[in-house]
Amino acid sequence: MKLTGRTILITGGSAGIGLAFALKFLELGNEVIVTGRRQSALDDLKRNHPKLQTIQSDVADPAQIAALARRMKAEYPKLDVLMNNAGIMLHKNLKAPAADLDGLMTEMNVNVGGVIRTTSAFIDILAANEGTVINVSSALAFVPLPSAPVYCATKAAVHSYTQSLRFQLEGTGVEVIELMPPVVKTELSTDLANGDGFTLLTTDELVKQSFASLKKGALEVRPGQAKLLALMRRIAPDFINRQLWKASKRLLPVRAG
């Protein structure tokens, strides 16, 4: 992947992995635009990093995605990188019926629907500019963390979708990359800790390893424990599945849902 001279849109870029990548891309001299759901968080981000461009937008809302695409195409016609990063993770107890059946689909709407809809809304400008799509899935696409069953299912879906997208875009000039982080020290992983069967990666180390892979032209970027989990999924799936179940049991909510 060409890492300089790009115009880059990162969804969910006001914190965590998205912000870490935004700041690194900015450091390399790219024009970077980030989105987030909360305007207050974006305002704080803009004050701290005035060179970043910010736009309020929610990837769970198709109307907001369409509006974002119209604005980006008008204001940033050179847009050539889309990083689908926005995501949420919820721990769920599946032992009884959930009180909020609609709420069960929240992660699907954000993590899967957001990726598919946003990619579709921007595919024309990315093709015109021979750009790059970076979809953020997870090492948990290979091996699920049972306390977060829907989250892991969404990341497996993003992994599969990204592979199909890559095939369909062959010959268009659009590069399709998948970033598959392990457990990273962000707001998403506050319930997880080193020694629970996880080795948490800092965002700094994630960026360092990921950009090294991107420079080499990797299409599947597997930093930290992601490589190990992919390997264990092949050679000892029962063992690694059981280990993650043991590590995550304490994270189950008391109530179903």
Side-chain angles (χ1 to χ4, degrees):
M1 176 184 174
K2 182 175 177 286
L3 298 174
T4 59
R6 313 296 296 268
T7 301
I8 303 169
L9 173 65
I10 302 177
T11 65
S14 62
I17 291 173
L19 177 57
F21 270 75
L23 295 179
K24 182 61 177 181
F25 278 126
L26 195 65
E27 178 188 314
L28 293 173
N30 299 285
E31 183 168 30
V32 183
I33 306 97
V34 301
T35 72
R37 289 178 295 171
R38 294 181 294 118
Q39 186 62 53
S40 60
L42 294 173
D43 291 341
D44 290 341
L45 179 60
K46 184 67 174 177
R47 280 192 291 270
N48 293 328
H49 305 283
K51 290 185 178 180
L52 275 180
Q53 305 303 314
T54 63
I55 300 176
Q56 189 281 323
S57 187
D58 184 353
V59 300
D61 185 340
Q64 291 191 41
I65 293 173
L68 174 66
R70 289 192 297 269
R71 177 174 175 181
M72 289 295 301
K73 291 170 189 178
E75 297 181 10
Y76 301 94
K78 294 183 180 180
L79 177 73
D80 62 349
V81 179
L82 168 64
M83 184 172 180
N84 285 308
N85 167 75
I88 57 173
M89 180 171 73
L90 303 173
H91 297 286
K92 291 185 177 294
N93 186 327
L94 305 179
K95 293 180 181 179
D100 179 10
L101 293 179
D102 187 56
L104 286 174
M105 299 303 292
T106 300
E107 290 159 289
M108 284 289 181
N109 293 335
V110 174
N111 301 359
V112 181
V115 169
I116 294 172
R117 289 169 173 149
T118 303
T119 301
S120 181
F122 284 90
I123 197 62
D124 54 351
I125 189 172
L126 292 170
N129 292 332
E130 295 189 344
T132 301
V133 178
I134 305 173
N135 288 338
V136 181
S137 63
S138 171
L140 297 176
F142 297 127
V143 182
L145 184 71
S147 65
V150 180
Y151 174 84
C152 297
T154 67
K155 294 306 182 178
V158 169
H159 175 57
S160 178
Y161 169 78
T162 302
Q163 290 180 312
S164 296
L165 182 68
R166 186 178 296 121
F167 280 118
Q168 290 204 24
L169 293 180
E170 282 182 347
T172 66
V174 179
E175 184 179 35
V176 179
I177 295 170
E178 183 176 3
L179 172 62
M180 314 183 80
V183 180
V184 179
K185 290 181 180 179
T186 67
E187 292 179 2
L188 204 70
S189 62
T190 52
D191 293 330
L192 305 175
N194 286 314
D196 286 342
F198 314 101
T199 301
L200 273 68
L201 208 61
T202 65
T203 53
D204 286 345
E205 186 60 30
L206 173 69
V207 166
K208 179 181 177 181
Q209 292 186 28
S210 298
F211 273 77
S213 294
L214 292 173
K215 287 179 183 177
K216 295 177 182 177
L219 296 180
E220 283 194 3
V221 179
R222 302 176 183 178
Q225 274 192 319
K227 293 178 183 177
L228 177 61
L229 289 175
L231 175 64
M232 292 299 292
R233 184 270 310 265
R234 293 202 308 271
I235 65 175
D238 291 341
F239 171 78
I240 192 61
N241 285 339
R242 182 61 60 181
Q243 288 300 108
L244 287 183
W245 172 225
K246 290 179 180 177
S248 67
K249 277 185 179 181
R250 66 174 183 80
L251 301 175
L252 285 177
V254 175
R255 295 182 180 181

